[in-house]
Amino acid sequence: MRKITFALAVSAAFIACGTDKGATETKEMEKNEPGWIQQTNIYEVNLRQYTKEGTINAFRREMPRLRDMGVKTLWFMPITPIAKKNMKGELGSYYAAGDYVSVSPEFGTVEDFKALVDEAHSMDMKVIIDWVANHTGWDHTWTKEHPEWYLKDSATNDFQIASGMDDIIELDFTNKPMRKAMIDAMQFWVEKTGIDGFRCDLAFWVELDFWEEAKARLDPIKPLFWLGELDPLENPEYMKVFHAAYTWKWMHRAKDWYQQKWKVDSLLPLLEDYERAPGIKTWFTTNHDENSWNGTEYEKYGDAAKALAVFSITWKGIPLVYSGQELPNKKRLEFFKKDLIAWTGKNELEGFYKTLFELRSAEPALSAAADAKRITTTADSAVFAFLRKSGNSEVLVVLNLSGQPQRFELLDSKVTGRFSNAFSHAENDFTTERSFQMQPWEFLVYKK
């Protein structure tokens, strides 16, 4: 959905890894998660803007390229029909559904989507779809068949508009038949097309017990991945259901850090807050909301964009990449009309993402739950170095988060032995070679 600004108030001192209540709850939840989640990545598909045709079948031509880039999970923005009444712009919002159990003619058919899911599975990729439970468009089929399933505005005696966004209206989650029909619709997509999970739009706007009911109904069919559009710092109770959630506050803090030229230390308390929060964290530098409404990652983060992308892929959690970041896409995409990504045939960052995605898949140290520990250096005001470790697998990441060259040394004795640079394949023995000279915004990633 269009971006919601979260008002969060949390602060603490940075620690490497937690053994607190949040971490305990996370481990309890992990017992019920599909095993593939731990080392997956997520690629968000904006189907309308991805190809000239903007269809499911046209997107299938891109899947071998994405597989070769190392993409593991495809997240499709809503593919359901878009309501016509009070429609925004020329084509309307994906998030104003007109029906929950069919595909918009703009994109294709249910059979087309099932074929895509089957093909993705043959390529060892998973597929999740956006699920918009809180609201529908004004002429969704339910508005005619079951108007009693909606909240009413006492002032107008009409359907209740969802938080000022006048193309959508809110459902009544005290209505049990509506809840059952909603879960039946979700079950349709699991059974009919074989999807592997849901990205749940504005999940915290929907009563928690609905998501608990939905998960209890659907997980016995197959273990599903539940990704919630919510921040675990603001709504930790929802992580009883959702495996992973957004790091909205980190994304906004990183923008302020870059634009206001703060020191690295200004970011560290927030990382501890997320460490303490339950569930898996999803890290990203842009998505459909951010790109369209707040600007591209390059508008927000400038020269730091690639270093922050490295952080998102290598820090503890699951990375999320948006359509076109491999280009890289440096324009805001229109939301309510056709605005094709300006593909050039040469994706300059494809190798960058391929290297990091393949490293994440191969190294247990980069699994979502593996420990992350900051490594002290002689330039900690500008450099953020950290070690990920799981058994014999170790990955060292060194980020120069400043616009100046940095000469420094690693001070932490925990980094020892021979490591290979993931990009250049040059070897370093950090038992004896502990000095660095890095250019502004440079990043280094090593595997042991």
Side-chain angles (χ1 to χ4, degrees):
M1 196 56 208
R2 298 185 284 283
K3 185 182 73 62
I4 303 301
T5 301
F6 297 95
L8 306 175
V10 288
S11 178
F14 182 81
I15 58 172
C17 57
T19 56
D20 50 28
K21 182 174 180 288
T24 301
E25 290 177 352
T26 298
K27 290 186 180 298
E28 286 299 311
M29 189 190 67
E30 286 170 357
K31 295 177 182 177
N32 299 318
E33 74 178 30
W36 56 267
I37 291 176
Q38 279 295 314
Q39 291 191 261
T40 199
N41 55 62
I42 303 168
Y43 186 93
E44 180 187 4
V45 179
N46 187 331
L47 197 57
R48 175 184 288 164
Q49 316 299 16
Y50 211 95
T51 63
K52 181 179 179 180
E53 301 92 332
T55 63
I56 292 166
N57 287 334
F59 178 78
R60 287 176 64 182
R61 299 196 299 262
E62 305 291 332
M63 288 169 57
R65 175 181 68 82
L66 294 173
R67 175 202 58 199
D68 293 344
M69 194 173 84
V71 169
K72 290 298 185 182
T73 298
L74 297 169
W75 153 30
F76 284 85
M77 292 168 67
I79 57 173
T80 48
I82 294 170
K84 301 301 181 184
K85 184 179 179 181
N86 297 330
M87 185 178 76
K88 293 283 190 183
E90 297 174 10
L91 295 175
S93 171
Y94 294 101
Y95 294 87
D99 178 19
Y100 279 129
V101 290
S102 59
V103 169
S104 171
E106 176 187 354
F107 306 133
T109 66
V110 172
E111 290 69 26
D112 292 339
F113 192 70
K114 182 183 187 310
L116 181 148
V117 174
D118 289 344
E119 185 172 355
H121 288 166
S122 73
M123 295 179 177
D124 197 29
M125 291 193 288
K126 306 294 184 181
V127 176
I128 64 175
I129 62 171
D130 226 316
W131 195 258
V132 188
N134 179 73
H135 50 263
T136 74
W138 279 85
D139 53 4
H140 187 285
T141 56
W142 289 355
T143 62
K144 304 173 185 68
E145 298 167 1
H146 298 286
E148 73 278 8
W149 288 1
Y150 289 81
L151 296 176
K152 298 298 191 299
D153 186 330
S154 59
T156 64
N157 200 33
D158 205 343
F159 298 122
Q160 182 169 304
I161 296 171
S163 189
M165 292 176 279
D166 56 11
D167 60 334
I168 52 177
I169 50 178
E170 293 195 340
L171 289 159
D172 180 3
F173 278 84
T174 67
N175 188 297
K176 291 184 179 180
M178 186 282 291
R179 291 166 65 122
K180 180 180 183 303
M182 176 76 72
I183 299 171
D184 287 347
M186 298 174 78
Q187 182 172 338
F188 168 85
W189 291 98
V190 177
E191 293 185 334
K192 180 71 174 178
T193 69
I195 61 166
D196 303 289
F198 296 95
R199 179 270 187 188
C200 299
D201 182 67
L202 292 174
F204 66 104
W205 279 16
V206 178
E207 284 78 353
L208 174 59
D209 65 354
F210 168 77
W211 296 120
E212 292 175 321
E213 182 182 353
K215 187 173 184 179
R217 274 265 311 271
L218 300 178
D219 272 1
I221 300 171
K222 66 184 293 187
L224 298 172
F225 177 28
W226 295 83
L227 170 63
E229 188 193 19
L230 60 97
D231 194 308
L233 293 176
E234 183 74 359
N235 304 102
E237 70 278 10
Y238 278 71
M239 302 313 292
K240 292 187 290 184
V241 170
F242 293 98
H243 298 114
Y246 281 37
T247 51
W248 281 114
K249 188 167 186 179
W250 167 262
M251 186 189 63
H252 296 306
R253 178 72 58 82
K255 175 185 175 182
D256 292 341
W257 158 80
Y258 175 76
Q259 295 186 356
Q260 299 183 37
K261 297 180 171 58
W262 293 344
K263 299 293 186 183
V264 171
D265 286 353
S266 66
L267 297 171
L268 303 185
L270 187 56
L271 288 184
E272 185 206 298
D273 291 340
Y274 277 117
E275 177 64 34
R276 292 181 181 276
I280 300 171
K281 318 312 179 296
T282 304
W283 305 93
F284 54 99
T285 56
T286 191
N287 62 15
H288 64 276
D289 283 322
E290 283 301 303
N291 171 275
S292 293
W293 308 112
N294 292 333
T296 71
E297 59 193 307
Y298 299 96
E299 289 180 72
K300 295 190 302 178
Y301 308 125
D303 294 332
K306 283 184 72 175
L308 290 173
V310 172
F311 171 87
S312 295
I313 297 171
T314 57
W315 188 250
K316 185 176 181 180
I318 296 175
L320 165 65
V321 172
Y322 181 44
S323 297
Q325 282 195 263
E326 68 272 31
L327 182 56
N329 175 44
K330 294 188 177 182
K331 76 169 184 175
R332 300 189 186 196
L333 299 175
E334 293 284 351
F335 205 84
F336 304 121
K337 67 180 184 180
K338 184 71 175 177
D339 187 19
L340 182 64
I341 296 169
W343 300 108
T344 63
K346 181 181 180 182
N347 297 318
E348 295 177 9
L349 296 185
E350 198 162 279
F352 166 80
Y353 283 108
K354 179 181 176 70
T355 295
L356 293 171
F357 283 166
E358 289 184 347
L359 184 68
R360 176 178 169 80
S361 294
E363 293 291 333
L366 294 182
S367 68
D371 285 344
K373 184 184 188 306
R374 190 183 186 191
I375 300 300
T376 55
T377 75
T378 55
D380 277 356
S381 64
V383 171
F384 184 56
F386 58 92
L387 184 68
R388 302 290 309 281
K389 187 172 182 178
S390 178
N392 294 326
S393 173
E394 295 184 33
V395 174
L396 173 69
V397 180
V398 187
L399 307 174
N400 179 7
L401 297 182
S402 78
Q404 293 78 42
Q406 299 293 331
R407 295 175 65 92
F408 59 94
E409 292 187 5
L410 296 182
L411 297 178
D412 199 315
S413 61
K414 291 183 175 63
V415 182
T416 61
R418 299 189 66 84
F419 284 70
S420 173
N421 186 304
F423 289 93
S424 71
H425 307 294
E427 290 194 359
N428 289 70
D429 187 345
F430 288 117
T431 306
T432 56
E433 304 167 18
R434 307 180 69 80
S435 297
F436 288 79
Q437 182 170 346
M438 296 181 69
Q439 297 304 307
W441 309 113
E442 187 179 1
F443 50 86
L444 295 168
V445 181
Y446 296 92
K447 62 177 181 178
K448 194 164 190 176

